[in-house]
Amino acid sequence: MNKKLGAKVDMWRTLVGLKSHAPYATVIATVPGVAAGFTTLEGMITQMEALDVSRQGAASKAGPAKDVARDLLEGTVAVVDGIFTAYAAQTNDELLLAQVNKERSHLHNMRDEALRVHGEFLLGQIPGTIPAALSGLGLTPALQTLLQDRYDAFYALMTLPQSKSGQESTYVGLMETLEDQGDKLLDLTLDKLMRQFEETEVEFYTAYREARVINDAGTQPEEDEGGEEPPPGS
């Protein structure tokens, strides 16, 4: 990846690294949205690294990126599948129960196309407005978005062009999409959620702000056009 993107991913790693400090990990775990955001960011780092490795060594196959994308999709499908299984059992919907209720081992043994089809089916089952019965079981808009993003990434790698030039274009496109998703996660979700800690968890909030600084090639803080460092979420 280029230096600018590499510096941004390094910033992501620094943020995720806050979880290794026990007091910070405790604070993160207290707010489900914050905990989910850090988990999502961690998955994005893994996927970005795999995409970069595959892009550099691309020949005629997707390489490790597709394996990582499959693992991420499989994990999210398992969560959503479990939610719909519980929902079908509660509502005595035998047809839906027969269509879902996939054990993790079953998902793991599915061929790529079968996993993709099941992911597509689950996405189709999520209504435009998530009812209370499903949200109460853990189906949130954020989880829906995560499932869609991981489905899209896996499908793109399944249909990767065989030519080197085509693969390069696809990898770059996927990395740019992932970068955009990371920007939105931080700017629109985590930065806003962090403001609740500004006065109650000052040390944690300060550490987060410091970790949000993007260093150019790992050495210099990124500046805006006016030469001043922009605050998180600005």
Side-chain angles (χ1 to χ4, degrees), residues 192-234:
K192 293 182 179 180
L193 287 172
M194 284 295 152
R195 290 170 187 160
Q196 67 188 289
F197 302 118
E198 188 171 0
E199 296 181 358
T200 58
E201 297 288 348
V202 178
E203 183 179 342
F204 171 61
Y205 180 73
T206 300
Y208 178 82
R209 284 181 59 87
E210 291 175 349
R212 276 287 273 127
V213 175
I214 299 176
N215 293 322
D216 183 11
T219 57
Q220 299 297 323
E222 182 177 71
E223 297 181 347
D224 61 13
E225 293 181 357
E228 296 180 358
E229 179 187 322
S234 62

Side-chain angles (χ1 to χ4, degrees), residues 43-60:
M44 287 179 171
I45 294 170
T46 301
Q47 193 166 350
M48 185 71 81
E49 291 171 341
L51 283 169
D52 191 44
V53 169
S54 291
R55 183 190 63 80
Q56 293 181 52
S60 61

Side-chain angles (χ1 to χ4, degrees), residues 53-62 160 163-164 167-168 171:
V53 169
S54 291
R55 183 190 63 80
Q56 293 181 52
S60 61
K61 58 182 180 180
L160 191 69
S163 68
K164 282 190 176 183
Q167 288 186 32
E168 173 70 14
Y171 282 127

Side-chain angles (χ1 to χ4, degrees), residues 57-78:
S60 61
K61 58 182 180 180
K66 179 166 165 289
D67 294 335
V68 171
R70 181 192 163 100
D71 287 344
L72 291 171
L73 175 61
E74 184 182 309
T76 309
V77 162

Side-chain angles (χ1 to χ4, degrees), residues 83-84 87-88 90-91 96 122-141 144:
I83 290 171
F84 273 106
Y87 176 71
Q90 286 182 2
T91 57
L96 179 60
L122 291 174
L123 285 167
Q125 293 300 306
I126 302 175
T129 301
I130 299 174
L134 281 171
S135 62
L137 291 170
L139 184 59
T140 64
Q144 178 183 11

Side-chain angles (χ1 to χ4, degrees), residues 110-176:
M110 279 184 172
R111 292 182 180 273
D112 288 349
E113 176 62 12
L115 178 63
R116 184 200 68 77
V117 169
H118 192 56
E120 183 177 53
F121 167 75
L122 291 174
L123 285 167
Q125 293 300 306
I126 302 175
T129 301
I130 299 174
L134 281 171
S135 62
L137 291 170
L139 184 59
T140 64
L143 181 57
Q144 178 183 11
T145 299
L146 186 63
L147 177 60
Q148 184 69 65
D149 290 343
R150 290 182 172 178
Y151 171 88
D152 291 342
F154 181 61
Y155 183 66
L157 289 167
M158 279 183 64
T159 57
L160 191 69
Q162 292 301 301
S163 68
K164 282 190 176 183
S165 60
Q167 288 186 32
E168 173 70 14
S169 176
T170 299
Y171 282 127
V172 170
L174 287 170
M175 292 170 76
E176 289 176 347

